[in-house]
């Protein structure tokens, strides 16, 4: 085998053995998400790659290839056994890459170039203290202790660096998780001065003027209100899915009961048929069986139609409730942002007043305060300073308008997409699948009577 291909259908595969081939690249295994054991030894692989989706892998063998670097294995968090002997690993630093695999117990590195180093075994034992077996031999506590003592300074320094890196990663994960929550609530970046600062980031004139007070408190109100409304929407969505699953579960029980009752009756009918020798009586019994099959189909389809009606009503109620919640959120948001505009208007008026007073002082050469040359250039005449203040005001209002449009558009699109997905998944796809399952069952039951080994009248 030269290329790994054609495996995308084997999603339930747990063991794959492709050793002793001429494979050059690890690829084509993204769908093998349940794989726990993989053997790619004795091939021509040069780079470790293509393993990102194999998150359940516990045993990996890459023995006797052409690999020169340990990399691209970060997602294999459950790795317990790893064999990469007889490759081209030259640098001992490759070993420290394996520290991320906390469950790794058995490791084979034999016959790599770095195995020739005098301190190879001690280096591995020191930096991978959780290992139990190295190159087919047990690593005892005495060996580990001696190895740690020899490399103690390096190990402790690495531990300290790892702790710091982990702390940074935890903080980054926390911020990412928090941001994701804020995005779901449609209030991201409203828990700080970002909106206020964005008003001035593109406002060249405003940067030369003073800041606008009062808006930050309103923005915090929007943020806190948005998070509260997100929790309410989440609770409503959870309740909806609970109702859907309850309706499906009850319907499934009815269907299973009908099928079980039919199967018990079928068993008795088939036993009776095997004893019938009269052709007319046999024909009558077969017709009775087919009638029962038709009745079962009617019953199962009736249950399905009943479930469709139930789900349609649940979805309609859910849609109405979510529309109300989104409308309430949008109205409140628009109210908060209207306050922002009012505050901006008040600020604009104050800026106009200050600008006029300052212009008079500049003209009369009575300005005591030191101002930058850029600001002084705005006070050449009344039109220039008024235009600068008005331009700043327009930029601020545009930022507020854009934020409102962004939030309203996104929450409406979110609701629309969710309802459309629910209709597609629960009403169309689920119904088609269920009807197909029922028809397959009925076809199978009819085929059974056709294939039954009796003295058939036909």
């Amino acid at each position: 085998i030269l290329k790994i291909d054609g495996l995308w259908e084997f999603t339930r595969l747990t063991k794959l053995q492709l050793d002793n081939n001429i494979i050059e690249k690890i690829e084509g295994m993204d769908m093998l998400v349940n794989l726990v054991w993989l053997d790619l030894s004795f091939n021509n692989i040069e780079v470790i790659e293509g393993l990102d989706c194999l998150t359940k892998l516990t045993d990996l063998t890459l023995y006797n290839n052409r690999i020169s670097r340990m990399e691209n294995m970060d997602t294999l968090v459950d790795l317990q056994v790893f064999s990469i002997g007889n490759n081209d690993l030259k640098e001992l630093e490759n070993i420290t890459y394996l520290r991320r695999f906390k469950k790794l117990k058995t490791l084979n590195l034999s016959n790599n170039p770095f195995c020739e180093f005098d301190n190879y075994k001690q280096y591995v034992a020191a930096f991978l203290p959780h290992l139990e077996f190295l190159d087919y031999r047990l690593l005892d506590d005495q060996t580990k202790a001696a190895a740690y003592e020899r490399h103690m300074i390096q190990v402790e320094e690495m531990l300290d660096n790892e702790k710091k890196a982990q702390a940074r990663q935890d903080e980054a994960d926390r911020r990412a998780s928090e941001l994701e929550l804020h995005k779901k609530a449609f209030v991201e970046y409203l828990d700080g001065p970002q909106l206020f600062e964005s008003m001035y980031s593109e406002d060249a004139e405003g940067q030369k003027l003073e800041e606008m007070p009062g808006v930050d408190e309103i923005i915090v109100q929007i943020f806190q209100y948005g998070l509260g409304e997100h929790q309410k929407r989440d609770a409503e969505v959870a309740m909806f899915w609970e109702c859907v699953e309850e309706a499906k579960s009850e319907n499934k029980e009815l269907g299973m009961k009908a099928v079980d009752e039919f199967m018990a009756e079928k068993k008795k009918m088939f036993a009776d048929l095997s004893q019938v020798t009269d052709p007319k009586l046999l024909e009558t019994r077969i017709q009775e069986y087919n009638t029962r099959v038709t009745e079962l189909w009617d019953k199962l389809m009736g249950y399905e139609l009943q479930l469709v009606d139930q789900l349609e009503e649940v979805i309609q109620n859910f849609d109405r409730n979510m529309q109300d919640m989104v409308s309430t959120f949008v109205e409140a948001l628009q109210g908060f942002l209207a306050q922002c505009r009012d505050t901006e208007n008040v600020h604009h008026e104050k800026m106009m007043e200050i600008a006029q007073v300052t212009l008079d002082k500049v003209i009369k050469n009575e300005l005591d305060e030191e101002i930058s040359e850029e600001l002084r250039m705005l006070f050449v005449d009344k039109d220039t300073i008024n235009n600068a203040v008005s331009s700043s005001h327009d930029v601020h209002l545009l930022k507020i308008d854009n934020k409102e449009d962004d939030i309203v558009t996104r929450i409406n699109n979110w609701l629309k997409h969710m309802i459309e997905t629910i209709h597609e998944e629960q009403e169309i796809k689920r119904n088609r699948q269920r009807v197909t399952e029922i028809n397959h069952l009925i076809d199978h039951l009819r085929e059974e009577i056709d294939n039954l080994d009796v003295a058939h009248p036909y």
Side-chain angles (χ1 to χ4, degrees):
I1 298 173
L2 176 63
K3 182 179 181 180
I4 303 173
D5 199 7
L7 297 176
W8 52 84
E9 292 288 348
F10 301 103
T11 56
R12 297 173 66 182
L13 196 67
T14 58
K15 181 177 179 179
L16 179 60
Q17 190 164 355
L18 292 171
D19 61 294
N20 288 283
N21 284 291
I22 51 174
I23 296 168
E24 297 180 347
K25 184 177 182 180
I26 305 174
E27 59 185 338
M29 294 193 288
D30 288 351
M31 301 303 292
L32 308 184
V33 294
N34 288 304
L35 207 64
V36 297
W37 193 96
L38 175 62
D39 185 355
L40 291 169
S41 58
F42 295 94
N43 280 286
N44 298 326
I45 298 167
E46 296 184 357
V47 178
I48 301 176
E49 59 186 336
L51 301 173
D52 293 347
C53 297
L54 310 186
T55 57
K56 295 183 180 180
L57 206 62
T58 62
D59 193 315
L60 174 62
T61 302
L62 295 172
Y63 188 85
N64 202 85
N65 279 282
R66 301 172 181 175
I67 298 167
S68 59
R69 179 182 175 84
M70 299 222 201
E71 59 185 342
N72 303 324
M73 297 166 57
D74 296 31
T75 60
L76 310 185
V77 294
D78 288 331
L79 193 64
Q80 298 174 21
V81 179
F82 183 37
S83 177
I84 192 169
N86 210 32
N87 275 276
D88 193 31
L89 297 170
K90 297 185 174 88
E91 304 295 332
L92 282 175
E93 284 70 22
N94 280 289
I95 292 167
T96 59
Y97 177 82
L98 300 176
R99 287 176 61 82
R100 68 198 67 218
F101 305 116
K102 306 303 181 184
K103 298 180 182 179
L104 185 64
K105 301 299 180 185
T106 301
L107 177 64
N108 175 28
L109 299 168
S110 60
N111 299 318
N112 275 290
F114 61 30
C115 295
E116 300 298 322
F117 298 159
D118 292 338
N119 65 333
Y120 153 70
K121 184 176 180 180
Q122 279 199 332
Y123 191 91
V124 176
F127 285 92
L128 302 177
H130 48 281
L131 270 188
E132 295 177 1
F133 294 91
L134 173 63
D135 300 341
Y136 312 109
R137 292 187 179 183
L138 177 68
L139 277 177
D140 56 42
D141 292 339
Q142 184 177 355
T143 300
K144 291 181 181 181
Y148 173 75
E149 185 174 349
R150 178 171 179 175
H151 296 279
M152 180 174 61
I153 295 176
Q154 292 170 279
V155 172
E156 290 299 326
E157 183 180 354
M158 184 169 290
L159 281 171
D160 184 58
N161 291 336
E162 286 174 350
K163 287 180 181 178
K164 291 177 180 177
Q166 186 60 50
R168 290 193 295 270
Q169 185 60 48
D170 290 344
E171 177 63 17
D173 291 344
R174 184 193 67 77
R175 289 182 179 178
S177 177
E178 195 174 71
L179 178 59
E180 186 62 27
L181 171 63
H182 296 171
K183 284 183 177 179
K184 289 179 180 178
F186 307 101
V187 292
E188 69 272 19
Y189 305 122
L190 293 182
D191 56 336
Q194 288 90 340
L195 177 60
F196 178 77
E197 290 173 353
S198 72
M199 292 180 181
Y200 282 93
S201 64
E202 299 174 18
D203 176 13
E205 305 300 344
Q207 291 174 16
K208 304 169 189 175
L209 306 169
E210 69 177 21
E211 295 185 345
M212 174 177 62
V215 170
D216 54 341
E217 296 177 5
I218 301 171
I219 298 301
V220 171
Q221 290 179 43
I222 298 175
F223 175 75
Q224 293 172 343
Y225 176 78
L227 287 182
E229 290 300 297
H230 169 64
Q231 291 179 347
K232 293 178 183 178
R233 291 194 298 272
D234 259 7
E236 185 70 24
V237 171
M239 188 182 299
F240 163 75
W241 286 115
E242 186 178 331
C243 291
V244 169
E245 292 305 317
E246 184 178 342
K248 288 164 65 176
S249 178
E250 291 176 357
N251 191 273
K252 180 181 178 180
E253 289 180 8
L254 290 173
M256 290 175 64
K257 182 180 179 183
V259 171
D260 289 343
E261 290 174 352
F262 175 84
M263 290 302 182
E265 185 179 3
K266 186 195 80 168
K267 184 177 181 181
K268 183 176 181 303
M269 293 178 73
F270 275 25
D272 292 344
L273 283 171
S274 65
Q275 305 299 320
V276 175
T277 57
D278 180 52
K280 290 185 178 180
L281 180 58
L282 185 61
E283 182 179 358
T284 301
R285 294 291 174 80
I286 291 175
Q287 288 177 348
E288 289 176 358
Y289 173 81
N290 285 324
T291 299
R292 295 288 187 276
V293 171
T294 301
E295 290 173 354
L296 176 64
W297 184 86
D298 290 338
K299 184 177 289 187
L300 294 177
M301 290 301 293
Y303 289 152
E304 175 57 22
L305 290 174
Q306 178 182 326
L307 178 59
V308 168
D309 291 339
Q310 283 181 291
L311 292 181
E312 185 176 355
E313 183 179 354
V314 170
I315 292 171
Q316 286 177 351
N317 290 335
F318 174 69
D319 191 4
R320 281 195 296 270
N321 291 342
M322 293 305 298
Q323 291 282 3
D324 290 343
M325 295 181 79
V326 168
S327 296
T328 300
F329 173 75
V330 168
E331 289 174 7
L333 169 75
Q334 290 172 335
F336 284 128
L337 291 176
Q339 294 179 51
C340 287
R341 292 187 186 91
D342 291 341
T343 304
E344 165 59 27
N345 289 332
V346 170
H347 166 69
H348 174 62
E349 293 175 2
K350 289 181 178 179
M351 291 300 294
M352 278 296 191
E353 293 175 4
I354 294 172
Q356 294 305 318
V357 171
T358 305
L359 178 62
D360 291 341
K361 290 182 178 179
V362 170
I363 292 174
K364 296 177 182 178
N365 202 22
E366 296 175 354
L367 187 64
D368 297 328
E369 297 86 352
E370 287 291 331
I371 61 174
S372 67
E373 188 61 31
E374 289 182 335
L375 180 57
R376 185 176 293 278
M377 291 295 294
L378 297 179
F379 290 99
V380 293
D381 56 47
K382 184 176 181 180
D383 288 341
T384 301
I385 188 59
N386 285 351
N387 288 339
V389 175
S390 296
S391 175
S392 175
H393 178 54
D394 291 341
V395 170
H396 296 174
L397 290 178
L398 181 61
K399 283 290 182 179
I400 296 172
D401 292 344
N402 288 344
K403 176 56 70 174
E404 178 180 321
D405 291 342
D406 174 63
I407 295 176
V408 172
T409 300
R410 283 169 53 216
I411 194 169
N412 284 328
N413 287 342
W414 167 78
L415 179 58
K416 179 183 177 183
H417 175 72
M418 180 174 63
I419 297 300
E420 287 177 350
T421 302
I422 288 172
H423 278 294
E424 177 69 22
E425 296 293 333
Q426 296 300 319
E427 290 196 289
I428 300 176
K429 287 186 179 180
R430 190 208 59 78
N431 177 249
R432 286 176 181 169
Q433 182 180 356
R434 182 57 180 154
V435 169
T436 300
E437 290 172 353
I438 293 172
N439 286 331
H440 283 170
L441 172 64
I442 298 304
D443 290 343
H444 172 70
L445 294 175
R446 294 195 189 282
E447 288 172 2
E448 278 193 302
I449 193 68
D450 292 338
N451 298 328
L452 190 63
D453 187 16
V454 295
H456 206 286
Y458 305 117

